[in-house]
Amino acid sequence: MLVAAAVCPCPPLLVPEVAGGAAPEMDDARAACFDALAVLAAARPDRLVVVGPAEPSARGPYPQGARGSFRGFGVDLDVTLGPASEAAPQAHELPPSLAVGGWLLERTAWAGAPVEGLGVGEPLAGARCAETGRQIAGSAPRVALLVMGDGTTCRTLKAPGYFDPRAADFDASVARALGAADVSALLALDEEQAYELGASGRAGWQVLAGAAEDAGLTGRLLYDAAPYGVGYLVVGWS
C-alpha cells in the first residue's frame, strides 16, 4: 500500500556541481526537494521506489546501489541509487532522472527503507502507467514513491522548447492535481499534449496516481516555478 510520495523535478542543474556558478538559482527548488524527502522518511516505508523518465535503452528496473554519474554533463561525480549494495551488475547506468533522485537520497542520508528504481518511457500510455503504479503499491505493506520528472519545456521564449501558450495552463493544472493529491485529475492528463509540451513527468505522475488509488493521501505543494522556462514542481503526499 502506498503510504507516502514525493514529486521532484529532475534537471541535473539541481546538483550544485553541475550547475556551477548558477547553483544558487536552484536553492529554493533544492530545499523543497529535501523537504519532500523528509515526508517519505516520516512515513517509515518498507520499500522506496524511485520513478523517472528514461530513454528506451535505460528503461526498466534498477536495484539498490545501481550506479550513475554526471560525467555526461561535464562533472566527474558518481552517484548510487540508495546505499551501495552487492547487487548483480547492471546492464546500464542510471538515466539522468534516477541519478538526480539518487543524489537527493545521498544528500538526505536516506536509510529509511530499501530503494529500487524504475525508468519509464515518456510516451507510456496512461492506463499502463496506472497499472504499473498499482503493482508497485501492492509490492509491500508500506510503499513510498519518489517521482522524478519535469513539467513543460515551453514556458518562455528562451525555454528549451521555445514558447507555447498552452504550457502555463498545463503546468497549472498539474500543480493543482498534485497539490490536491487528485488521482482522477492526474489520470485524465492529456498524454499527447504533455508530449508536445515536453512534460517529462507525465508518465511518472500517472504511475503515482495508479499507486495512490484508495490510499487516502493528502498533498502539499512545496514549490512551483519555471526558472529556465521549464515547469518545476515539488510536492509531498502523506
Side-chain angles (χ1 to χ4, degrees):
M1 177 179 178
L2 187 73
V3 296
V7 174
C8 295
C10 59
L13 288 174
L14 268 179
V15 180
E17 292 88 342
V18 175
E25 297 176 17
M26 295 295 287
D27 280 351
D28 289 345
R30 201 175 295 115
C33 289
F34 296 154
D35 288 344
L37 264 67
V39 172
L40 301 184
R44 298 181 180 276
D46 302 315
R47 181 188 187 209
L48 172 64
V49 181
V50 185
V51 177
E55 294 298 320
S57 64
R59 293 171 188 168
Y62 291 83
Q64 177 165 308
R67 300 172 302 279
S69 81
F70 295 98
R71 290 189 179 88
F73 302 95
V75 176
D76 186 12
L77 177 64
D78 295 323
V79 68
T80 61
L81 188 66
S85 69
E86 298 299 325
Q90 64 197 63
H92 306 285
E93 74 170 26
L94 295 170
S97 64
L98 297 188
V100 174
W103 179 85
L104 289 172
L105 293 172
E106 285 188 0
R107 287 298 295 265
T108 54
W110 176 265
V115 181
E116 299 173 40
L118 180 65
V120 297
E122 291 180 44
L124 189 65
R128 290 187 60 192
C129 293
E131 180 56 30
T132 297
R134 295 183 194 106
Q135 292 173 3
I136 292 172
S139 65
R142 298 180 64 81
V143 176
L145 274 176
L146 172 56
V147 179
M148 309 298 297
D150 300 338
T152 65
T153 60
C154 315
R155 293 281 290 273
T156 66
L157 292 174
K158 294 184 178 181
Y162 195 60
F163 174 72
D164 191 308
R166 302 172 296 170
D169 286 345
F170 182 90
D171 284 339
S173 69
V174 173
R176 286 193 299 271
L178 287 172
D182 188 336
V183 169
S184 296
L186 290 172
L187 292 176
L189 289 175
D190 188 320
E191 300 167 33
E192 183 175 353
Q193 186 177 82
Y195 188 76
E196 291 172 355
L197 297 175
S200 69
R202 190 275 309 168
W205 302 331
Q206 291 187 321
V207 169
L208 170 59
E213 289 175 344
D214 303 321
L217 302 184
T218 58
R220 181 185 174 201
L221 185 63
L222 301 171
Y223 180 85
D224 178 5
Y228 301 107
V230 180
Y232 296 149
L233 295 166
V234 181
V235 185
W237 286 17
S238 61

